[in-house]
Amino acid sequence: EWDQLSEYDKPETVLEYVKTFPKADLSNCKTMAVLRVKNLEDKIRTINTKLERQYDGISFDDLARYEVELPVWKEVLNVVSNVVDNG
């Protein structure tokens, strides 16, 4: 049972929702996905820059999590974009 989605949901949860309910109004979900993709790309880029410059305090756990989440959020964005833009 689905109550609602939030920016705190795991990307896999959001992806399951948008695939389960493709006829729902996904415009807010598209906005959330755009922002999450941009945010994760920025975080990965920042961490990689820090690695190149050998900064201390780099979280390899965060980098690994971002690299796993990013393709899922991109898939969410793809699904909702098809629905919102073509529906």
Side-chain angles (χ1 to χ4, degrees):
E1 181 178 318
W2 299 93
D3 292 329
Q4 63 184 358
L5 293 176
S6 80
E7 66 272 17
Y8 303 108
D9 285 321
K10 292 181 179 183
E12 296 82 5
T13 302
V14 178
L15 182 59
E16 182 182 350
Y17 178 87
V18 300
K19 286 184 172 183
T20 302
F21 303 105
K23 297 191 186 292
D25 179 3
L26 299 175
S27 55
N28 288 338
C29 193
K30 180 180 178 185
T31 301
M32 180 173 57
V34 167
L35 294 173
R36 291 295 292 159
V37 166
K38 181 181 180 335
N39 179 268
L40 289 168
E41 287 175 339
D42 289 347
K43 286 181 176 182
I44 290 169
R45 188 172 21 262
T46 298
I47 290 173
N48 285 329
T49 299
K50 288 181 178 183
L51 287 173
E52 289 172 7
R53 295 181 183 170
Q54 298 180 352
Y55 282 97
D56 291 328
I58 298 166
S59 171
F60 292 103
D61 291 340
D62 286 345
L63 178 58
R65 187 176 81 247
Y66 301 152
E67 288 177 336
V68 167
E69 288 182 1
L70 182 58
V72 181
W73 277 111
K74 284 184 175 183
E75 187 175 353
V76 169
L77 181 56
N78 184 48
V79 170
V80 297
S81 291
N82 286 332
V83 171
V84 171
D85 298 344
N86 299 319

